[in-house]
Amino acid sequence: MHIVVIESSPNRDGLTAACAQAAIEGIRAAGSTAEDVRLKDLKIGSCNQCGNGWGGCRSDHECGGVQDDFQALHQKVIDADALVLVTPVYWGDMSESMKDLTDRLRRCEASLGEESRLLGKPVLMVAAAGGGGGGMISCLTNMERWAQHVRALPYDMIGIKRITRAYKLETIRAAGRAMAGYSA
Ligand SMILES: Cc1cc2nc3c(=O)[nH]c(=O)nc-3n(C[C@H](O)[C@H](O)[C@H](O)COP(=O)(O)O)c2cc1C
């Protein structure tokens, strides 16, 4: 299996990065390959809401409205056997960079219905929160809704915060390993 791990914090040594690293370790321990993608190293803008709001992506299933690093990452996501999405919790939601990516992926793939190129693709979703952890669940809820829209398989949804860090990193490592061995 080749699994693309997408993380969306600006901090290279924060909780989000530790979660991504744990998932990667689990995936590699299972003998699969993991590719780490840091969204903050890429230029991926917001959806332009082209035309009357539906945009050309509704029929083309590609984003023609904003030319940036999205197009290459979209292809990488399509080609991957599974995905890991790791976001810090901002305002009870995904970070803006993860939101921009998932919004544009949804535009391109949800319009394909059962033909979505993410249909049945296992996705491990991780929300890394702060001390209190408020908003972790709403963040995971929004990630789950995204997975439903693009017809992906929410393999697991894990919330982690500072005080649960140690055992949740173990959980993420185990989840990465298990997902790498999963077949439908
Ligand atoms: C703009 C902003 C909004 C945040 N909102 C929340 C929040 O709603 N709930 C929460 O538990 N933590 C919140 N946090 C804290 C981050 O989720 C937390 O520090 C997280 O661990 C950051 O990940 P990082 O260490 O990888 O950067 C917020 C942080 C920022 C910068």
Side-chain angles (χ1 to χ4, degrees):
M1 252 201 198
H2 180 67
I3 302 180
V4 174
V5 179
I6 301 175
E7 50 172 309
S8 68
S9 172
N11 301 313
R12 291 184 177 274
D13 57 354
L15 186 57
T16 307
C19 294
Q21 192 50 42
I24 289 168
E25 285 167 13
I27 292 163
R28 290 184 179 155
S32 289
T33 54
E35 181 176 356
D36 189 13
V37 176
R38 292 190 76 254
L39 286 182
K40 290 296 290 174
D41 290 343
L42 303 178
K43 188 177 177 308
I44 295 182
S46 304
C47 169
N48 204 28
Q49 302 172 231
C50 298
N52 66 357
W54 282 110
C57 54
R58 191 186 190 190
S59 50
D60 299 343
H61 314 298
E62 306 294 341
C63 177
V66 185
Q67 292 297 331
D68 54 16
D69 290 328
F70 173 79
Q71 284 75 17
L73 184 52
H74 184 196
Q75 193 56 52
K76 223 173 251 208
V77 164
I78 290 170
D79 293 341
D81 297 306
L83 301 172
V84 179
L85 302 182
V86 191
T87 180
V89 176
Y90 285 178
W91 315 111
D93 205 338
M94 294 173 253
S95 73
E96 288 80 355
S97 56
M98 186 63 82
K99 188 82 175 59
D100 288 339
L101 172 67
T102 52
D103 281 349
R104 289 172 70 188
L105 287 173
R106 169 161 46 199
R107 289 268 186 167
C108 296
E109 299 300 327
S111 50
L112 281 164
E114 293 299 306
E115 302 298 314
S116 166
R117 291 159 291 186
L118 274 61
L119 178 76
K121 200 183 288 284
V123 186
L124 172 60
M125 294 172 279
V126 178
M136 178 204 288
I137 298 301
S138 52
C139 178
L140 288 173
T141 298
N142 291 340
M143 295 178 92
E144 181 189 38
R145 186 174 303 122
W146 170 83
Q148 287 166 348
H149 283 149
V150 299
R151 310 285 209 281
L153 169 70
Y155 185 80
D156 204 353
M157 291 169 286
I158 300 174
I160 176 171
K161 56 185 174 179
R162 220 167 298 136
I163 60 172
T164 64
R165 176 182 174 120
Y167 72 86
K168 284 297 183 80
L169 285 180
E170 283 304 315
T171 302
I172 293 166
R173 200 170 285 115
R177 188 176 185 141
M179 188 171 72
Y182 171 79
S183 63

